[in-house]
Amino acid sequence: MGKAPEEEHPVKAFGWAARDTSGVLSPFKFSRRVTGDEDVRFKILYCGICHSDLHSLKNEWGNSTYPLLPGHEVVGVVTEVGSKVQKYKVGDRVGVGCMVGACHTCENCENNLENYCPKMILTYNSVNYDGTKTYGGYSDHMVANERYIVRIPDNLPLDAAAPLLCAGITTYSPLRYYGLDKPGTKVGVVGLGGLGHVAVKFAKAFGAIVTIISTSPSKKQEAIEVLGADSFIVSTNPDEMQAAMGTLDGIIDTVSAVHALVPLLFLLKSHGKIIMVGAPDKPLELPVFPLIIGRKTIAGSCIGGMKETQEMIDFAGKHNISPLIEVIPMDYVNTAIERLIKADVKYRFVLDVGNTLKAA
Ligand code: NAP
Ligand code: ZN
Ligand code: ZN
């Protein structure tokens, strides 16, 4: 008979978890596995709060299991490595993003697209191969196979680097894959939140001409002056939407809630494309005529593979791309989630886990 999961997982850990669909987080004790031969263990210093954490905490996608301990923008410093680990050593600055496992034999895995593996194991709200639950980065430490560990470039501050591990790769990957990374390309970004503001930074670094489409007029000045967007459209203003019709080659849509697609399709040039990365819990309405007229495409994209995630963060290091963040203490997390619901954050909350998480 095999050992009980708690015997296999004798390393004590603690963090903040939700116990039910209220999504309210409170201190939580659990355990993680011992460091395996190919594992890297690290002390968590910072963890970003992604809107997917909010969807999951409140079971908006219908797949949450409790206790649910979120966090998939996790960074820190290596404390232990397994005997077969090649790339990392104690003291290295590293991170973990949205996944911690995959089958490593399917076509997607063989093509470094673990993110599309049918057996992908998410960093939280998922099940490890040994049958135990995965718990995320709102916690004191993390252990993962080295394939899922990302090295943080030396010049990036650790707190601001955290959001790159989800918001960064989720926007970098579709900009690249769908050819929106060419100088002069006219790129629209819908929703100026965690993902959206990083999308603007990457698109600008690729040399694109960037238009933000937002519901928040209050974000305009900073979007232009600080983020470097070329223009800013308030989506509820029909005159501004009308004036921008037929101007964009592609749009990255990061909106977390149900919203109208047709006005966005009208912003595209012929043959233009909308890439959905936002993940509303309910279906969007899609009349086909606006697609047929002008041969337009609507597509999707899910995070990115590990090879591309390292490439993305190295690119961010080279181009000094740092998300704009509000660093908060652990016991502010429930207030932060409430503010995230109201889109009241510029542009990503990052938990100061290292300094403020107290033992449960
Ligand atoms: P976020 O920081 O909350 O940003 C979302 C932005 O969408 C808001 O700041 C707001 O921008 C806009 N928005 C919100 N409600 C809206 C509404 N009802 N109508 C129109 N616009 C609205 O969220 P995030 O962390 O960037 O995540 C965005 C979405 O991407 C979430 O659904 C998340 O689960 C999903 N996601 C997907 C992937 C993937 O792999 N595909 C990865 C990570 C996250 P304005 O104020 O500018 O309008
Ligand atoms: Zn995320
Ligand atoms: Zn696979």
Side-chain angles (χ1 to χ4, degrees), residues 50-329:
C50 176
H51 204 111
S52 300
D53 300 350
L54 165 55
H55 290 303
S56 304
L57 282 166
K58 294 184 179 285
N59 196 24
E60 290 174 356
W61 293 329
N63 66 348
S64 298
T65 59
Y66 297 89
L68 188 139
L69 195 161
H72 58 207
E73 295 181 339
V74 197
V75 296
V77 174
V78 175
T79 53
E80 195 181 7
V81 295
S83 58
K84 293 189 182 148
V85 167
Q86 312 241 325
K87 287 191 290 184
Y88 302 99
K89 58 179 193 321
V90 171
D92 284 355
R93 291 158 25 109
V94 297
V96 156
C98 299
M99 57 187 166
V100 290
C103 83
H104 304 166
T105 55
C106 74
E107 197 176 339
N108 281 320
C109 284
E110 279 171 4
N111 290 318
N112 294 306
L113 294 169
E114 303 92 339
N115 52 317
Y116 297 113
C117 172
K119 295 190 177 156
M120 181 198 12
I121 300 172
L122 294 167
T123 303
Y124 66 84
N125 193 37
S126 207
V127 179
N128 280 308
Y129 286 124
D130 60 7
T132 57
K133 277 191 72 157
T134 57
Y135 291 115
Y138 299 9
S139 63
D140 66 328
H141 78 274
M142 176 67 69
V143 59
N145 184 292
E146 78 168 318
R147 180 164 173 157
Y148 297 91
I149 301 280
V150 176
R151 182 180 299 284
I152 312 294
D154 289 340
N155 64 318
L156 293 183
L158 270 188
D159 52 1
L164 293 171
L165 290 160
C166 174
I169 185 60
T170 300
T171 51
Y172 178 94
S173 182
L175 284 167
R176 281 274 201 234
Y177 181 76
Y178 291 102
L180 301 175
D181 58 346
K182 312 285 180 292
T185 306
K186 299 216 166 113
V187 173
V189 175
V190 192
L192 193 59
L195 267 57
H197 94 287
V198 181
V200 173
K201 288 191 169 223
F202 279 126
K204 286 302 295 179
F206 293 143
I209 297 161
V210 179
T211 299
I212 294 168
I213 302 112
S214 168
T215 59
S216 307
S218 64
K219 294 178 181 172
K220 177 170 180 174
Q221 191 178 353
E222 196 172 42
I224 305 276
E225 290 174 6
V226 179
L227 293 173
D230 298 281
S231 54
F232 188 99
I233 302 172
V234 179
S235 51
T236 49
N237 181 325
D239 295 338
E240 288 185 24
M241 290 294 278
Q242 176 79 25
M245 264 176 76
T247 59
L248 301 175
D249 294 298
I251 289 175
I252 303 288
D253 184 336
T254 75
V255 175
S256 51
V258 171
H259 59 289
L261 283 177
V262 171
L264 301 177
L265 283 165
F266 285 139
L267 296 179
L268 293 175
K269 295 182 193 172
S270 296
H271 331 299
K273 45 197 133 180
I274 296 186
I275 318 306
M276 307 302 299
V277 293
D281 57 347
K282 298 205 175 57
L284 308 191
E285 202 173 312
L286 179 58
V288 294
F289 272 98
L291 275 184
I292 296 170
I293 311 290
R295 192 168 61 172
K296 292 169 184 172
T297 303
I298 297 192
S301 189
C302 177
I303 48 174
M306 293 317 302
K307 182 166 180 272
E308 193 177 34
T309 303
Q310 188 65 58
E311 175 193 307
M312 172 280 306
I313 210 159
D314 291 344
F315 180 92
K318 196 167 158 211
H319 295 266
N320 252 311
I321 293 174
S322 257
L324 300 183
I325 57 168
E326 180 174 339
V327 178
I328 54 167

